[in-house]
Amino acid sequence: MDRVGQSLKKNVDIMKSRVTKYAIYGVLIAILAIIVATLLSSFFQFGKLSLDNFLEAQKSNTTLWVLDAMPFIFAFWGQYVSSIMAYEAGSLVIDQTQELRSQTAALQYQAAHDATHDALTDLPNRVLLRDRLLQAINTAQRDNKKLAFLLLDLDHFKEINDTLGHYNGDRLLKHLALRLQNVMRASDTLARLGGDEFGILLPIIKESDDVQIVAGKIQKSLRSPFVLEGLKLEVQASMGIAIYPEHGKDVDTLMQRADVAMYVAKQDNQQVTVYSTELDKHTPQKLTLVGELRQAIENEELRLHYQPKIDLRSDSIKSVEALVRWQHPQHGFMPPDEFIPLAERTGLIKQLSTWVIKHAFGQAVAWHKKGMKLSVAINLSPSTLLDTDFPDAITGMLAMYNLPPHYITFEITEGSIIKDPERAMEILVRLSEMGIHLSIDDFGTGYSSLAYLKKLPVNELKIDKSFVMDMLENENDAVIVRSTIDLAHNLGLQVVAEGVENKETAAHLKSLGCDILQGYHFSKPLSSEDFDAWFGSQKIPEAKNRISRQSSHHQTVHQGLSYGHK
Ligand code: C2E
Ligand code: CA
Ligand code: CA
């Protein structure tokens, strides 16, 4: 008997034994009824109760015969009904269990699907694509075959998004996904890698030219315009192609080289470019940089520099911003603006962020031990606000360093919230509930939406340096700075001006009520050793006095401050 059959039999036995109990009661009641009825009947018939009269009544009274049959009827009926009920109830339980099992299986399947697919288009995502690419490389290696990886990126998608809105941008991507799928074979993989970037794996190609044919089909499929909101949109894409084994023998190299080819295609307006070593000249650093950056993170070649934030309300330095530095062995100093977007595109950003956060936490703890109670502001990259595991990871790291959360500020840009506002909001709320401070960086350059700003659990706005640097010469910038300060204060937020390069700007910002200043006028970002020396050398008696009156442990920390006097 199978498991379902066995458990059904067990259920039926349990139910039957219960119902049988009630059937026995029924039989006993029926027998009692016969005895009472016979006694009554013999009493009325013979005027006296005796065993003889009782037996006589049983023999002569035909009505009692009918009554005598009752216990048998009860017993039979009870058994019959109990069997039927027990079977029905047992099967019901089994059906429901089976139903629950299949629902759980469906949910598990859905979760696995979500982890490997893009939510908008339902295409495979980067994770699944990398896995398929790895398998395809293994197969191609074994069979001595070629494969191709094609990277496609829409041209001017940002403009479409900005003018027609994200809703229509999303619709366009869905239409595009369908068209691309139609020109591909079932064995090919089309994946969405993020934004308007798609990856296509052709696991078997005979000649390198085959992939050109596919690229041609894709171009042709894009020739007829997309219709959105009654508008006809002409869309073009740039494609970069890398072929195994000629251009790379592992997943990372193939993807990087397709990326280089795509980059060149875009630069040269060529639409399709196949990778060649020649192209490295166009992008001399990009190609090898990703691999080198990975090594730099692993080999601890990155450094953090710290730039002080001057708190005008207490005349003290309470916080610093951590900024990552990479001294490349060949290319020299690499600005973060160059390698961070690259890390973001290649998925290295998570490792980089973890490195930065750990070192910033470690530095904060080291300062605290010396009596310098500084908070550290850390820049978060946009993808962090898509990672729902991030708050838990931070909880773990804070515990590991034994660092109170209010000593940490995360700086985020408005753009990083726009990508997936609901998820970003969930992550920000959790961070904020932990006691971490949040700051909107580069304020004024993104899609500033007051509606969002009011809902976000942020503590601080940072006016972008582009406005601050020119505010003395440019009236527009001055207006933006002034109204941002007012806006922040009206929302109950503190406001930081970054990019303060001279004392006139500092004085002006102070007169406008700005709370915190940061910029080259006070200090450039410094290594931790240089920062300690700079911090110790600050001499301004008034500031020192004011601070020492506030709290005694600040005495050693802010040994006089010369902000604004350089
Ligand atoms: P950001 O967050 O806006 O950082 C401020 C940038 O302005 C820093 O450039 C800083 O050196 C520079 N700066 C500070 N004061 C002045 C000034 O008075 N005048 C001028 N002209 N510039 C000033 P940096 O260090 O090159 O960083 C550039 C960007 O790279 C940062 O912009 C941030 O978006 C990103 N970044 C830096 N470190 C990290 C990091 O650890 N993680 C992430 N995700 N991004 C980082
Ligand atoms: Ca920042
Ligand atoms: Ca900034």
Side-chain angles (χ1 to χ4, degrees):
M1 210 188 303
D2 64 354
R3 266 180 47 209
V4 174
Q6 274 174 2
S7 59
L8 179 62
K9 188 177 174 307
K10 217 157 73 194
N11 287 347
V12 167
D13 287 346
I14 295 170
M15 301 287 290
K16 258 167 74 178
S17 77
R18 290 216 177 151
V19 182
T20 304
K21 202 166 80 188
Y22 288 100
I24 290 171
Y25 292 160
V27 170
L28 289 177
I29 291 169
I31 291 173
L32 206 68
I34 292 169
I35 294 170
V36 172
T38 315
L39 284 173
L40 284 175
S41 155
S42 71
F43 183 75
F44 284 126
Q45 209 176 336
F46 307 106
K48 187 169 157 260
L49 288 178
S50 75
L51 185 63
D52 286 343
N53 292 348
F54 184 90
L55 294 174
E56 194 50 42
Q58 268 291 333
K59 256 193 238 162
S60 57
N61 195 334
T62 42
T63 325
L64 288 178
W65 297 355
V66 177
L67 205 58
D68 288 345
M70 289 315 274
F72 302 101
I73 295 173
F74 263 118
F76 175 75
W77 181 66
Q79 282 300 307
Y80 176 72
V81 171
S82 74
S83 291
I84 290 185
M85 270 171 58
Y87 265 100
E88 277 179 5
S91 339
L92 207 70
V93 170
I94 295 220
D95 285 353
Q96 283 173 348
T97 315
Q98 292 291 66
E99 172 78 17
L100 277 176
R101 282 216 187 104
S102 54
Q103 275 178 10
T104 315
L107 281 175
Q108 277 169 349
Y109 175 81
Q110 186 65 37
H113 183 87
D114 288 352
T116 49
H117 288 76
D118 165 51
L120 179 71
T121 57
D122 207 35
L123 291 176
N125 63 12
R126 189 183 286 275
V127 177
L128 187 53
L129 178 82
R130 286 184 68 95
D131 188 54
R132 297 231 175 122
L133 191 51
L134 181 67
Q135 291 189 13
I137 289 174
N138 289 339
T139 312
Q141 192 176 22
R142 195 190 56 213
D143 301 345
N144 219 353
K145 292 260 161 59
K146 290 181 176 197
L147 69 81
F149 177 65
L150 195 151
L151 199 66
L152 177 146
D153 192 284
L154 283 187
D155 300 338
H156 312 297
F157 179 67
K158 192 178 175 308
E159 284 154 40
I160 295 173
N161 233 349
D162 288 350
T163 36
L164 294 182
H166 288 269
Y167 172 69
N168 284 310
D170 284 355
R171 278 177 61 199
L172 174 64
L173 292 174
K174 279 192 200 175
H175 285 289
L176 174 69
L178 279 179
R179 283 205 197 170
L180 293 177
Q181 237 159 357
N182 281 339
V183 295
M184 253 162 286
R185 293 200 205 131
S187 55
D188 303 340
T189 297
L190 168 67
R192 179 165 174 239
L193 303 180
D196 58 342
E197 195 177 68
F198 292 82
I200 297 162
L201 164 66
L202 309 175
I204 307 157
I205 52 165
K206 284 202 200 77
E207 290 305 322
S208 302
D209 288 349
D210 287 1
V211 61
Q212 291 276 15
I213 296 171
V214 177
K217 277 192 200 163
I218 293 175
Q219 274 175 312
K220 212 165 133 195
S221 79
L222 296 182
R223 238 168 254 161
S224 52
F226 289 82
V227 183
L228 284 183
E229 304 257 289
L231 285 175
K232 281 188 180 170
L233 286 180
E234 305 273 352
V235 170
Q236 272 198 357
S238 302
M239 285 175 259
I241 296 169
I243 291 166
Y244 169 92
E246 289 154 64
H247 304 143
K249 293 195 168 113
D250 60 85
V251 174
D252 279 335
T253 314
L254 275 177
M255 287 180 85
Q256 266 168 43
R257 297 197 160 169
D259 197 18
V260 169
M262 200 270 289
Y263 176 85
V264 172
K266 237 186 217 316
Q267 297 282 303
D268 301 357
N269 249 331
Q270 277 177 346
Q271 298 197 20
V272 187
T273 304
V274 180
Y275 174 83
S276 71
T277 40
E278 272 291 287
L279 300 183
D280 288 347
K281 288 186 195 132
H282 295 257
T283 51
Q285 299 173 347
K286 236 184 126 166
L287 179 62
T288 44
L289 223 48
V290 181
E292 288 168 357
L293 180 57
R294 179 174 289 125
Q295 280 184 347
I297 300 170
E298 281 162 11
N299 304 342
E300 297 281 326
E301 282 165 29
L302 300 180
R303 292 281 169 273
L304 279 186
H305 278 193
Y306 302 91
Q307 190 176 32
K309 288 165 132 180
I310 318 297
D311 193 321
L312 297 177
R313 296 162 300 184
S314 59
D315 286 334
S316 61
I317 295 160
K318 288 184 175 158
S319 56
V320 299
E321 177 175 4
L323 294 153
V324 69
R325 298 289 177 257
W326 182 17
Q327 192 66 32
H328 190 282
Q330 281 97 47
H331 308 306
F333 174 72
M334 298 279 307
D337 280 335
E338 263 178 41
F339 66 84
I340 286 184
L342 191 65
E344 185 87 44
R345 290 185 62 137
T346 49
L348 250 190
I349 192 70
K350 202 164 170 173
Q351 268 168 279
L352 184 100
S353 302
T354 308
W355 186 93
V356 168
I357 293 169
K358 280 191 177 162
H359 284 74
F361 282 15
Q363 183 61 56
V365 171
W367 277 327
H368 293 183
K369 283 195 180 136
K370 288 190 206 170
M372 297 157 73
K373 293 281 176 197
L374 293 167
S375 298
V376 180
I378 300 166
N379 292 285
L380 288 191
S381 77
S383 60
T384 313
L385 294 190
L386 300 173
D387 177 7
T388 40
D389 294 335
F390 181 70
D392 290 336
I394 292 299
T395 308
M397 284 193 250
L398 285 170
M400 197 162 85
Y401 285 89
N402 197 13
L403 180 66
H406 64 268
Y407 282 112
I408 294 302
T409 298
F410 283 134
E411 297 191 1
I412 50 173
T413 57
E414 295 159 275
S416 60
I417 300 160
I418 295 300
K419 268 195 178 166
D420 185 344
E422 267 172 40
R423 210 176 334 169
M425 181 69 104
E426 182 199 321
I427 292 169
L428 292 177
V429 166
R430 281 176 63 198
L431 291 173
S432 166
E433 280 171 353
M434 281 159 60
I436 285 173
H437 288 237
L438 298 171
S439 171
I440 305 266
D441 204 355
D442 302 345
F443 188 78
T445 57
Y447 320 73
S448 319
S449 152
L450 254 183
Y452 266 122
L453 206 55
K454 270 163 79 176
K455 278 196 245 157
L456 288 171
V458 293
N459 310 79
E460 179 183 283
L461 288 192
K462 263 187 113 166
I463 310 174
D464 189 60
K465 56 180 176 292
S466 60
F467 304 111
V468 176
M469 277 156 61
D470 296 337
M471 65 180 281
L472 296 182
E473 291 84 44
N474 184 324
E475 182 53 27
N476 277 345
D477 288 352
V479 169
I480 291 173
V481 170
R482 198 180 321 130
S483 47
T484 306
I485 294 173
D486 291 344
L487 171 75
H489 287 162
N490 284 336
L491 291 172
L493 308 176
Q494 64 178 22
V495 53
V496 184
E498 63 174 14
V500 180
E501 293 192 338
N502 51 54
K503 69 168 181 274
E504 292 76 20
T505 308
H508 193 61
L509 284 162
K510 188 172 183 169
S511 74
L512 291 176
C514 188
D515 305 304
I516 297 169
L517 305 184
Q518 179 183 351
Y520 292 170
H521 172 54
F522 306 102
S523 169
K524 293 205 163 182
L526 302 169
S527 67
S528 67
E529 301 83 49
D530 290 349
F531 180 84
D532 287 357
W534 176 88
F535 194 79
S537 73
Q538 299 305 299
K539 295 180 210 79
I540 268 264
E542 314 89 89
K544 187 177 173 185
N545 291 343
R546 224 170 298 151
I547 292 152
S548 53
R549 246 181 280 127
Q550 277 180 344
S551 101
S552 57
H553 72 253
H554 276 111
Q555 242 169 329
T556 44
V557 181
H558 310 295
Q559 305 167 351
L561 223 46
S562 66
Y563 62 85
H565 300 258
K566 234 175 114 178

